[in-house]
Amino acid sequence: MPFCPQCGAANPDSARFCDQCGAKLIPAPAPSATSAPSAAPVTTTGGPVSVGATTCLQCGLSVIPGEAFCDNCGAPLFQAPPVTSVPAPDVPFPGVPPQRAYPPPQPVTIQSSSPPAPPVATPPPVAPVVRTSLAGVRLRLANGSILALPAAAQAFIGRADPVSNFYPDIDLTAHGGLEHGVGRRHGRFFVQQGQVYYEDLDSTNGSFLGGRALVPRQPEPVRHGDELRLGMLRLVVEVQ
């Protein structure tokens, strides 16, 4: 019975390669007549033992059942169980462990030690006052006299005439109206859509606004500071 020169295991007489390690066996010398008694067969307890393949998968020759390697080519006769591949984890980059997910940062609210200021009440917008009368309109004469217009929608200006029983709302008789050519019904002031207007009523000596002659019966708007001349009498309009 040849022994393996590499692992020392005993092999059958016809074996050319070691059944344990597959090394090539060295032929053993012929046994003498007085050979040692053969060892008793070893009985293995436990579960069933695989007897291995009966045909070499590499060279195709028949082999002795139970041998680990082929006697012809030395190929292993026992096949290792298939290795089940474990799928790699689903990571964005191979070899990089998945990163831990953190919640998004939350805004930090700073508590103030002092109480919040009370809201300031905003007053509602006040609509502009629309003028509906001549109240607040005055006429300043060159001698410093001031004539206030009545609180009415319109007012006539001129000279009083007792004969015709005509008395205008603004009488310029005492202020040199006759000497300066002011007519009895020289003109009128009135309010329209919040604006103060003056209209010449076909006076004999005419009316002038800022040095410009006015066309009779065509109203012209007047504003604060305008100079109005009736004949030769100068007036300054003051609108409050």
Side-chain angles (χ1 to χ4, degrees), residues 54-197:
T54 58
T55 305
C56 179
L57 300 178
Q58 182 169 340
C59 62
L61 295 180
S62 298
V63 296
I64 301 174
E67 291 187 351
F69 297 93
C70 177
D71 290 337
N72 181 45
C73 63
L77 301 178
F78 290 94
Q79 296 181 355
V83 179
T84 304
S85 60
V86 179
D90 187 11
V91 294
F93 301 98
V96 179
Q99 301 296 321
R100 182 178 179 182
Y102 294 92
Q106 302 295 327
V108 179
T109 304
I110 301 177
Q111 299 292 337
S112 176
S113 58
S114 59
V120 179
T122 304
V126 179
V129 178
V130 179
R131 182 182 297 274
T132 58
S133 70
L134 296 172
V137 180
R138 304 186 306 177
L139 303 176
R140 182 183 297 273
L141 281 72
N143 59 6
S145 301
I146 296 177
L147 304 177
L149 273 63
Q154 71 172 354
F156 292 93
I157 186 171
R159 291 185 296 108
D161 184 14
V163 176
S164 61
N165 198 25
F166 175 75
Y167 296 92
D169 300 300
I170 303 101
D171 189 2
L172 299 177
T173 303
H175 303 283
L178 180 60
E179 295 80 7
H180 291 82
V182 177
R184 289 174 298 176
R185 193 187 296 265
H186 200 104
R188 73 179 180 116
F189 292 91
F190 65 95
V191 177
Q192 183 176 359
Q193 296 181 352
Q195 175 64 46
V196 180
Y197 289 85

Side-chain angles (χ1 to χ4, degrees), residues 23-39:
K24 189 174 182 179
L25 300 178
I26 301 175
S32 60
T34 58
S35 61
S38 60

